[in-house]
């Protein structure tokens, strides 16, 4: 198949069936409902071959104007090595505008992302499996609808971006748990159906102990159920996740790409520091 036979279009609901087939080719667990949620929160592009089949996907999930997450980047194995991944990324840049960008890279995608200005910022560990029987933790409670504004504020402070639309989508599909102190929410976690079972996340907590308690709150009522948790390697809970039955099955490298304005500010700072050193 020649590159000229590939056409890029806006990602729409009619493309979800083809996107599911493409993700299954990669052994990703995403159901049509998982793609639908991702598309609800995002804009994106699909690459169609000369038969109208989905040969590539990319989504851009904006978090206000603070940043955007590039995700669901897939290129059909039959058309790899022809520059389609770069074309999809260039379309993502257009969709993102001047927002700083974030993504989680696989080993295959890393070389391209580095060429496009992304730099590593952390390591994401994916854990999943049938969870062991756990006791209900103290100090954690189910959240109510009235807690959403406080959860959104806490999330923005912790993540550094406005993810209100994500919180609303999670509330439509799943549940929240919170830890309160003196009447204020200090930590939260969400759970929703995903793939083979359910996924716990985001988990926003001030310590590994709080993160374990929030995860345990959901796991305690789901003994032997299939759960997934993605965590930054710096959280210090990876060993515990394995102990409770969630094996480390992969992950990726978190990468960031600053906006043009941020890049210019960084260059100006270096120039100013250089002048200071020369002075």
């Amino acid at each position: 198949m020649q590159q000229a036979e590939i056409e890029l279009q806006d990602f729409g609901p009619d493309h979800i069936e083809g996107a599911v087939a493409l993700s299954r080719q990669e052994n990703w667990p995403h159901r049509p409902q998982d793609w639908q949620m991702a598309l609800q929160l995002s804009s994106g592009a699909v690459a169609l071959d000369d038969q109208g089949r989905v040969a590539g996907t990319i989504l851009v999930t904006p978090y206000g104007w603070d940043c955007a997450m590039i995700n669901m980047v897939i290129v059909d194995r039959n058309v790899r090595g022809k520059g389609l991944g770069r074309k999809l990324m260039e379309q993502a840049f257009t969709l993102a505008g001047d927002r700083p960008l974030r993504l989680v890279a696989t080993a295959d995608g890393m070389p391209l992302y580095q060429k496009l200005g992304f730099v590593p910022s952390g390591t994401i560990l994916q854990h999943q499996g049938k969870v062991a029987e756990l006791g209900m933790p103290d100090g954690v409670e189910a959240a109510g609808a009235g807690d959403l504004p406080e959860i959104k504020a806490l999330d923005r402070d912790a993540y550094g971006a406005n993810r209100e639309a994500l919180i609303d989508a999670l509330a439509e599909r799943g549940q929240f748990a919170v830890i309160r102190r003196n009447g204020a929410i200090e930590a939260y976690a969400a759970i929703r159906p995903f793939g083979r079972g359910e996924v716990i996340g985001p988990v926003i907590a001030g310590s590994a102990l709080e993160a374990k308690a929030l995860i345990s709150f959901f796991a305690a009522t789901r003994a032997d159920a299939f759960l997934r948790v993605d965590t930054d390697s710096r959280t210090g809970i990876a060993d515990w996740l394995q102990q409770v039955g969630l094996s480390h099955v992969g992950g990726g490298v978190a990468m960031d790409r600053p906006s043009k304005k941020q890049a210019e500010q960084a260059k100006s700072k270096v120039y100013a520091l250089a002048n200071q050193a020369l002075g």
Side-chain angles (χ1 to χ4, degrees), residues 55-132:
T57 61
I58 196 164
L59 291 179
V60 179
T61 308
Y63 297 135
W65 285 99
D66 300 308
C67 72
M69 176 69 74
I70 294 179
N71 53 83
M72 308 307 286
V73 185
I74 315 175
V75 174
D76 190 303
R77 296 174 186 176
N78 296 317
V79 294
R80 289 180 186 173
K82 302 176 185 292
L84 181 54
R86 179 181 283 271
K87 277 195 169 185
L88 288 167
M89 288 296 294
E90 289 171 351
Q91 184 63 21
F93 294 159
T94 299
L95 293 169
D98 194 36
R99 294 177 177 87
L101 297 174
R102 301 177 185 180
L103 57 77
V104 178
T106 62
D108 288 343
M110 279 278 289
L112 173 61
Y113 301 143
Q114 288 175 321
K115 289 177 184 176
L116 293 173
F118 287 86
V119 294
S121 59
T123 302
I124 305 301
L125 305 177
Q126 183 187 130
H127 291 261
Q128 65 183 37
K130 291 191 174 182
V131 69

Side-chain angles (χ1 to χ4, degrees), residues 13-265:
D14 291 346
H15 299 122
I16 286 178
E17 182 179 351
V20 171
L22 198 60
S23 58
R24 285 176 179 165
Q25 183 188 91
E26 297 303 305
N27 294 317
W28 290 11
H30 297 70
R31 309 163 302 154
Q33 300 95 316
D34 302 321
W35 274 98
Q36 287 163 1
M37 176 176 167
L39 184 57
Q40 173 188 332
L41 296 168
S42 313
S43 55
V46 293
L48 303 180
D49 66 16
D50 56 354
Q51 301 297 313
R53 293 172 297 204
V54 176
T57 61
I58 196 164
L59 291 179
V60 179
T61 308
Y63 297 135
W65 285 99
D66 300 308
C67 72
M69 176 69 74
I70 294 179
N71 53 83
M72 308 307 286
V73 185
I74 315 175
V75 174
D76 190 303
R77 296 174 186 176
N78 296 317
V79 294
R80 289 180 186 173
K82 302 176 185 292
L84 181 54
R86 179 181 283 271
K87 277 195 169 185
L88 288 167
M89 288 296 294
E90 289 171 351
Q91 184 63 21
F93 294 159
T94 299
L95 293 169
D98 194 36
R99 294 177 177 87
L101 297 174
R102 301 177 185 180
L103 57 77
V104 178
T106 62
D108 288 343
M110 279 278 289
L112 173 61
Y113 301 143
Q114 288 175 321
K115 289 177 184 176
L116 293 173
F118 287 86
V119 294
S121 59
T123 302
I124 305 301
L125 305 177
Q126 183 187 130
H127 291 261
Q128 65 183 37
K130 291 191 174 182
V131 69
E133 187 171 345
L134 296 173
M136 187 64 72
D138 294 329
V140 183
E141 62 186 87
D147 292 319
L148 288 184
E150 197 171 351
I151 288 172
K152 290 174 180 178
L154 175 64
D155 184 85
R156 179 163 190 167
D157 287 344
Y159 189 77
N162 181 353
R163 298 198 294 181
E164 290 190 6
L166 172 63
I167 301 301
D168 287 335
L170 292 170
E172 291 174 9
R173 294 165 173 81
Q175 302 168 275
F176 289 91
V178 297
I179 296 174
R180 300 181 202 270
R181 288 193 179 85
N182 300 319
I185 295 174
E186 294 200 354
Y188 89 88
I191 189 169
R192 64 178 172 91
F194 176 82
R196 295 170 56 188
E198 294 176 286
V199 60
I200 298 174
V203 178
I204 300 297
S207 67
L209 192 63
E210 287 182 342
K212 292 176 185 178
L214 288 163
I215 294 168
S216 295
F217 179 84
F218 293 125
T221 57
R222 291 167 170 83
D224 206 36
F226 191 88
L227 297 179
R228 170 174 164 171
V229 178
D230 294 352
T231 182
D232 189 299
S233 61
R234 293 167 292 192
T235 61
I237 66 170
D239 289 344
W240 175 80
L241 289 171
Q242 295 197 83
Q243 290 169 12
V244 300
L246 305 184
S247 301
H248 176 215
V249 296
V253 177
M255 303 189 79
D256 296 340
R257 184 178 188 263
S259 67
K260 290 181 181 178
K261 182 177 180 181
Q262 288 175 324
E264 289 169 358
Q265 289 174 338

